[in-house]
């Protein structure tokens, strides 16, 4: 009986391998990286997130004490001494508008995620087939603050979602502007391994959506060069 079982098992593996050779599994679509070679060396690559279309919504947080903002899909945690952290996840596009991966943004203030009292943001961009890149920056203002909104009395997490935040502006630089405080590429994996450089995060306002919320883009512009 055992000999029959093992014979059938081995035959099944052989048949599965044979079938896979004729009907291979679909491969992941990989888009060519859209980069610009800079005249003074290095390269520039921009990652685009469409707001709010590319936000990955969170599942319901029933049974947990962690407050969640259902309107934005972000998680927020704040303690009694003013430290506050927000976490968000997005789809990421290249400049040709292809969805190429996902990104998470972890922002904190009051020393919540860095040894500083100012607002700080960390990005992790993951692109299947290419690798991952980890970015960190001090913010020009507190991006974790909850904003009062007039959308059915909701409280929104990010000021970007509130049309009143823009005040007739079309663009807002989030990375602290001084060169000393420019965003940094901390490390990477895959084809991003061995790269060093800087980046900037910019929010752009594209108009007001049908439900009254702001629509726009988050642009992560990286400037990198190999250090190996």
């Amino acid at each position: 009986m055992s000999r029959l079982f093992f014979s059938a098992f081995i035959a099944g593996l052989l048949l599965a391998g044979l079938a896979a050779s004729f009907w291979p599994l679909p491969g992941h679509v990989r888009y060519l990286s859209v980069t610009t070679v800079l005249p003074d060396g290095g390269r520039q690559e921009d990652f685009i997130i469409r707001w709010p279309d590319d936000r990955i919504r969170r599942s319901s947080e029933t049974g947990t004490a962690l407050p969640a903002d259902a309107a934005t899909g972000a998680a927020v945690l704040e303690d009694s001494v003013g430290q506050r952290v927000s976490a968000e996840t997005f789809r990421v596009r290249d400049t040709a508008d292809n969805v190429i991966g996902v990104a998470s943004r972890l922002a904190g203030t009051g020393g919540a995620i860095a040894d500083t009292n100012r607002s700080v943001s960390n990005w992790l961009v993951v692109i299947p087939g290419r690798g991952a890149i980890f970015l960190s920056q001090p913010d020009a203002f507190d991006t974790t603050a909850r904003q009062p909104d007039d959308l059915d009395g909701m409280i929104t997490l990010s000021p970007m979602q509130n049309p009143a935040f823009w005040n007739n502006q079309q663009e807002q630089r989030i990375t602290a502007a001084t060169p000393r405080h420019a965003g940094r590429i901390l490390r990477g994996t895959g084809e991003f391994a061995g790269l060093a450089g800087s980046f900037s995060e910019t929010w752009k306002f594209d108009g007001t959506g049908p439900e009254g919320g702001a629509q726009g883009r988050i642009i992560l512009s990286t400037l990198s060069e190999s250090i190996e």
Side-chain angles (χ1 to χ4, degrees):
M1 188 68 179
S2 60
R3 182 177 298 177
L4 177 62
F5 172 79
F6 284 112
S7 298
F9 180 74
I10 297 298
L13 291 179
L14 293 175
L15 288 174
L18 184 63
S21 65
F22 287 100
W23 296 286
L25 294 175
H28 175 76
V29 177
R30 174 173 174 172
Y31 295 99
L32 295 176
S33 58
V34 183
T35 60
T36 301
V37 178
L38 303 177
D40 54 351
R43 69 177 191 177
Q44 175 177 343
E45 183 170 7
D46 294 348
F47 303 107
I48 314 295
I49 296 168
R50 293 195 175 277
W51 180 282
D53 300 350
D54 288 334
R55 181 187 293 278
I56 299 175
R57 302 267 179 173
R58 300 173 64 245
S59 58
S60 61
E61 292 287 340
T62 57
T64 174
L66 185 67
D69 192 321
T72 62
V76 187
L77 186 63
E78 183 173 7
D79 64 14
S80 59
V81 297
Q83 294 188 124
R84 183 169 51 250
V85 174
S86 68
E88 306 165 89
T89 309
F90 305 92
R91 287 182 291 270
V92 175
R93 303 172 185 265
D94 59 18
T95 53
D97 206 35
N98 300 308
V99 176
I100 58 174
V102 295
S104 63
R105 185 180 196 270
L106 183 68
T109 188
I113 63 172
D115 187 18
T116 176
N117 287 323
R118 69 184 303 162
S119 178
V120 175
S121 298
N122 292 336
W123 282 92
L124 177 62
V125 181
V126 180
I127 303 176
R130 294 184 59 192
I133 185 169
F134 186 39
L135 314 170
S136 182
Q137 69 177 13
D139 299 328
F141 58 91
D142 182 7
T143 61
T144 70
R146 286 176 173 266
Q147 302 286 320
D149 205 332
D150 58 0
L151 303 179
D152 299 325
M154 294 187 303
I155 300 297
T156 62
L157 169 68
S158 173
M160 184 183 190
Q161 184 173 339
N162 191 340
F165 162 78
W166 295 97
N167 193 26
N168 296 323
Q169 299 181 86
Q170 299 297 314
E171 182 175 310
Q172 184 72 251
R173 178 185 167 105
I174 306 305
T175 312
T178 62
R180 186 169 63 89
H181 291 150
R184 293 183 300 143
I185 298 175
L186 296 183
R187 64 175 304 173
T189 64
E191 71 175 55
F192 299 107
L195 295 181
S198 63
F199 84 100
S200 64
E201 176 184 348
T202 305
W203 295 353
K204 292 194 175 184
F205 179 63
D206 291 335
T208 302
E211 297 181 358
Q215 293 182 330
R217 289 161 290 154
I218 300 173
I219 301 176
L220 302 175
S221 183
T222 64
L223 303 174
S224 62
E225 59 183 356
S226 176
I227 58 174
E228 295 183 344

